[in-house]
Amino acid sequence: MIKVTNLHKSFGDVKAVRGISFEVRDGEITGLLGPNGAGKTTTLRMLYSLLPPDEGEIRIDGLDPTTDAMAIKRTLGVVPDSRGLYTRMTARENIAYYGELHGMPRNKINERMEELVETLDMSDFIGRRTEGFSQGQRVKVAIARAMIHSPQTVMMDEPSNGLDVMSTRALRRYILSLKAAGHSVVLSTHIMQEVAALCDRIIIIARGRIAANGTAQELMTQSNCDSLEDAFVSLIGTEEGLAA
Amino acid sequence: MSGLGTIYKKEIRENLRDRRSLFNSVLLGPILFPILFIGLGYFAANKQQERAEEVLEVPVVGAEHAPNLVSFLKQQGVVIQPAPEDPESLVRSQEVPVVIRIPEKFPQQWEAGKPAVVEVIADPSRRESETPMRRVRGLLRAYGAQIGQLRLQLRGVSPSIQTPIMVKDVDLSTPQSRGMLVMMMLPYVLMITAFTGGMHLAIDSTAGEKERKSLEPLLINPVPRWQIMLGKMSATATFAFASLFLTLLSFRFAFPFLPTGALGVDLNMSATAVAGILLAVAPVVILAAAMLTTLASLAKSLREAQSYMGLVFMIPMIPSIIFMVNPVTPVTWMMSIPMFSQNLLIGEFVRGETVPMLWLAMSIGSTLIIGLAFAAVAATLFNRPRIVFSS
């Protein structure tokens, strides 16, 4: 359960987020949808306590990221916008490193590693150094290291960026399996199909504000449109930054 | 603190795998510097001996004005060469190092018992003409002294009346203290090593982490940021210390190969000296690690970080160069100057002197204070969004 109230964040003169409030329910996939530069990444960064908000309040399962950063980081699994791997280390070592940073004992890490290799289908490359990995392989490793400590809440920033069709489908299946296993998932994206295929609830962000909030059906009704894409354009009032 | 340990282990392991950088940062110094020293030592020793033993060939202008002087020079083994047209330009063009000119007035002055002028034409700013010039002067002076004594004796005066003061040199320098070249260079090399050893790791673990976009995901882990920074700094310090240790070790084995006899160099690289130097320079390693990590964190990219490193080199260089140009006698208060005190201490250790505990404590203490202050600043750097997201 995530509750965000009246969130503000500026970088110098740029007001990235100006008064965002929403709720993310347990066991649901929530999509943050918006054009490029709408403030999705900044909002997520405040949620996973990397950036302190200028104003407003965040509660994740009752915890405040500004004061309980460590506790929140233990319960979150985050696949951020940047997913750099260590190229002189194998995929397995990259993932295990994050397990160790979470203070997990060695045998627990190994156990969990096997599960993740299985679910994410990584057995072909898990023992290889990540130098020269494909985008798809890289995203899988980035997801695995974010999930190594079995977090309850998962946040992904544009996870399908740069993936081919097959990898995207595999990713979507994985996200749906997370929901089925009872995790809450927060997803930021600017890709319409992804939202339509995955999200229970959609939060449309534009120019640092919430433009609309609801299920896909509710958004279409609200805007009098037949498709989610039209609803999106109508709700944010422009086609700027819209990707297919 | 387990987060700090995890970060530390990972940085060390990852950088050990980078063979090329490992070689450049940790191994190159220990291999290169001693070879350089031995090579330079031999070169200097050879040159000095060569010149001292070389047959002295000197063109003499106006030899006919002073046949006795010329035959004296011949007796002393000097090969007299015919007079050149233009001795000045010959010396200027470095064809000969030195030319003697006996002016026409020489016989007159000689007969009159006045000081007779003999010109030694040379360019002392050229190092290679230094030895021949000195030898020629020495010979001329010896001839002058000999004739002067004879003249006094002829007049019935004891020659010793001419020498109211007899200067006698009492040489207190030990063979160790004569090894000036090595002694001036060694602190410089070791101080540089304390910086270069960890440089690559410092860049790779901060600016590099930013460039390959792995810093943000790293910071999402439940490890306090100061621990992350401190882990990286400790890894940097470890590499630098390893490099320093290996350099000292290789010097210890290289010292016997230095041309000690020829240069009059005999320096002490005993196990005690090695341990003493390590102890004295260890705080510099910490200071260097903190400085390097701080600077590299401020950089947006690897390239930018690398360009800062040139500046960082100036930090250990300046005190070492001051010491090289102006070698001072160590005094207690100097031990409170970080980076400079180590230069003095290394000199003391290598000369085989007993270093007062107070000196060591002051040097370590003052350097450590600055080092830890830097480390404290660095530890807070990752708390600034501007530094985390600057790419």
PDB file of all heavy atoms in Angstrom, chain A residues 76-87:
ATOM      1  N   LEU A  76      11.359  -2.776  -0.778  1.00  0.00           N
ATOM      2  CA  LEU A  76      11.129  -2.445  -2.181  1.00  0.00           C
ATOM      3  C   LEU A  76      12.064  -3.209  -3.102  1.00  0.00           C
ATOM      4  O   LEU A  76      13.208  -3.461  -2.772  1.00  0.00           O
ATOM      5  CB  LEU A  76      11.393  -0.947  -2.421  1.00  0.00           C
ATOM      6  CG  LEU A  76      10.403   0.077  -1.910  1.00  0.00           C
ATOM      7  CD1 LEU A  76      10.821   1.450  -2.386  1.00  0.00           C
ATOM      8  CD2 LEU A  76       9.006  -0.250  -2.383  1.00  0.00           C
ATOM      9  N   GLY A  77      11.518  -3.546  -4.290  1.00  0.00           N
ATOM     10  CA  GLY A  77      12.380  -4.034  -5.356  1.00  0.00           C
ATOM     11  C   GLY A  77      12.268  -3.030  -6.495  1.00  0.00           C
ATOM     12  O   GLY A  77      11.169  -2.775  -6.962  1.00  0.00           O
ATOM     13  N   VAL A  78      13.402  -2.440  -6.907  1.00  0.00           N
ATOM     14  CA  VAL A  78      13.319  -1.354  -7.875  1.00  0.00           C
ATOM     15  C   VAL A  78      14.162  -1.656  -9.121  1.00  0.00           C
ATOM     16  O   VAL A  78      15.328  -2.039  -9.014  1.00  0.00           O
ATOM     17  CB  VAL A  78      13.809  -0.028  -7.248  1.00  0.00           C
ATOM     18  CG1 VAL A  78      13.670   1.106  -8.253  1.00  0.00           C
ATOM     19  CG2 VAL A  78      13.048   0.278  -5.977  1.00  0.00           C
ATOM     20  N   VAL A  79      13.533  -1.511 -10.267  1.00  0.00           N
ATOM     21  CA  VAL A  79      14.280  -1.554 -11.526  1.00  0.00           C
ATOM     22  C   VAL A  79      14.252  -0.129 -12.065  1.00  0.00           C
ATOM     23  O   VAL A  79      13.289   0.276 -12.692  1.00  0.00           O
ATOM     24  CB  VAL A  79      13.636  -2.515 -12.544  1.00  0.00           C
ATOM     25  CG1 VAL A  79      14.475  -2.570 -13.816  1.00  0.00           C
ATOM     26  CG2 VAL A  79      13.484  -3.897 -11.935  1.00  0.00           C
ATOM     27  N   PRO A  80      15.284   0.660 -11.773  1.00  0.00           N
ATOM     28  CA  PRO A  80      15.219   2.069 -12.139  1.00  0.00           C
ATOM     29  C   PRO A  80      15.520   2.268 -13.622  1.00  0.00           C
ATOM     30  O   PRO A  80      15.842   1.324 -14.345  1.00  0.00           O
ATOM     31  CB  PRO A  80      16.294   2.707 -11.280  1.00  0.00           C
ATOM     32  CG  PRO A  80      17.267   1.636 -11.015  1.00  0.00           C
ATOM     33  CD  PRO A  80      16.529   0.333 -11.076  1.00  0.00           C
ATOM     34  N   ASP A  81      15.382   3.508 -13.993  1.00  0.00           N
ATOM     35  CA  ASP A  81      15.663   3.953 -15.345  1.00  0.00           C
ATOM     36  C   ASP A  81      17.058   3.526 -15.801  1.00  0.00           C
ATOM     37  O   ASP A  81      17.238   3.001 -16.894  1.00  0.00           O
ATOM     38  CB  ASP A  81      15.547   5.490 -15.313  1.00  0.00           C
ATOM     39  CG  ASP A  81      15.710   6.087 -16.665  1.00  0.00           C
ATOM     40  OD1 ASP A  81      15.333   5.406 -17.631  1.00  0.00           O
ATOM     41  OD2 ASP A  81      16.207   7.218 -16.760  1.00  0.00           O
ATOM     42  N   SER A  82      18.064   3.756 -14.956  1.00  0.00           N
ATOM     43  CA  SER A  82      19.411   3.309 -15.316  1.00  0.00           C
ATOM     44  C   SER A  82      19.605   1.900 -14.768  1.00  0.00           C
ATOM     45  O   SER A  82      19.393   1.660 -13.589  1.00  0.00           O
ATOM     46  CB  SER A  82      20.472   4.247 -14.757  1.00  0.00           C
ATOM     47  OG  SER A  82      20.042   4.894 -13.607  1.00  0.00           O
ATOM     48  N   ARG A  83      19.973   0.987 -15.629  1.00  0.00           N
ATOM     49  CA  ARG A  83      20.172  -0.379 -15.168  1.00  0.00           C
ATOM     50  C   ARG A  83      21.543  -0.881 -15.559  1.00  0.00           C
ATOM     51  O   ARG A  83      21.703  -1.914 -16.187  1.00  0.00           O
ATOM     52  CB  ARG A  83      19.094  -1.306 -15.692  1.00  0.00           C
ATOM     53  CG  ARG A  83      18.429  -0.895 -16.989  1.00  0.00           C
ATOM     54  CD  ARG A  83      17.266  -1.791 -17.297  1.00  0.00           C
ATOM     55  NE  ARG A  83      16.019  -1.066 -17.230  1.00  0.00           N
ATOM     56  CZ  ARG A  83      15.376  -0.622 -18.311  1.00  0.00           C
ATOM     57  NH1 ARG A  83      15.873  -0.842 -19.509  1.00  0.00           N
ATOM     58  NH2 ARG A  83      14.240   0.025 -18.189  1.00  0.00           N
ATOM     59  N   GLY A  84      22.552  -0.085 -15.217  1.00  0.00           N
ATOM     60  CA  GLY A  84      23.920  -0.479 -15.531  1.00  0.00           C
ATOM     61  C   GLY A  84      24.334  -1.706 -14.738  1.00  0.00           C
ATOM     62  O   GLY A  84      24.009  -1.839 -13.563  1.00  0.00           O
ATOM     63  N   LEU A  85      25.048  -2.589 -15.409  1.00  0.00           N
ATOM     64  CA  LEU A  85      25.582  -3.779 -14.746  1.00  0.00           C
ATOM     65  C   LEU A  85      27.100  -3.637 -14.668  1.00  0.00           C
ATOM     66  O   LEU A  85      27.689  -2.825 -15.356  1.00  0.00           O
ATOM     67  CB  LEU A  85      25.239  -5.033 -15.548  1.00  0.00           C
ATOM     68  CG  LEU A  85      23.763  -5.259 -15.868  1.00  0.00           C
ATOM     69  CD1 LEU A  85      23.616  -6.494 -16.750  1.00  0.00           C
ATOM     70  CD2 LEU A  85      22.947  -5.417 -14.601  1.00  0.00           C
ATOM     71  N   TYR A  86      27.706  -4.463 -13.825  1.00  0.00           N
ATOM     72  CA  TYR A  86      29.168  -4.479 -13.746  1.00  0.00           C
ATOM     73  C   TYR A  86      29.691  -5.468 -14.770  1.00  0.00           C
ATOM     74  O   TYR A  86      29.460  -6.670 -14.641  1.00  0.00           O
ATOM     75  CB  TYR A  86      29.619  -4.837 -12.337  1.00  0.00           C
ATOM     76  CG  TYR A  86      29.070  -3.874 -11.322  1.00  0.00           C
ATOM     77  CD1 TYR A  86      28.033  -4.242 -10.464  1.00  0.00           C
ATOM     78  CD2 TYR A  86      29.556  -2.581 -11.259  1.00  0.00           C
ATOM     79  CE1 TYR A  86      27.507  -3.345  -9.561  1.00  0.00           C
ATOM     80  CE2 TYR A  86      29.026  -1.675 -10.351  1.00  0.00           C
ATOM     81  CZ  TYR A  86      28.007  -2.064  -9.507  1.00  0.00           C
ATOM     82  OH  TYR A  86      27.489  -1.167  -8.621  1.00  0.00           O
ATOM     83  N   THR A  87      30.383  -4.956 -15.776  1.00  0.00           N
ATOM     84  CA  THR A  87      30.737  -5.816 -16.910  1.00  0.00           C
ATOM     85  C   THR A  87      31.884  -6.764 -16.605  1.00  0.00           C
ATOM     86  O   THR A  87      32.078  -7.728 -17.324  1.00  0.00           O
ATOM     87  CB  THR A  87      31.128  -4.965 -18.131  1.00  0.00           C
ATOM     88  OG1 THR A  87      32.102  -4.000 -17.714  1.00  0.00           O
ATOM     89  CG2 THR A  87      29.922  -4.255 -18.697  1.00  0.00           C
TER      90      THR A  87
END
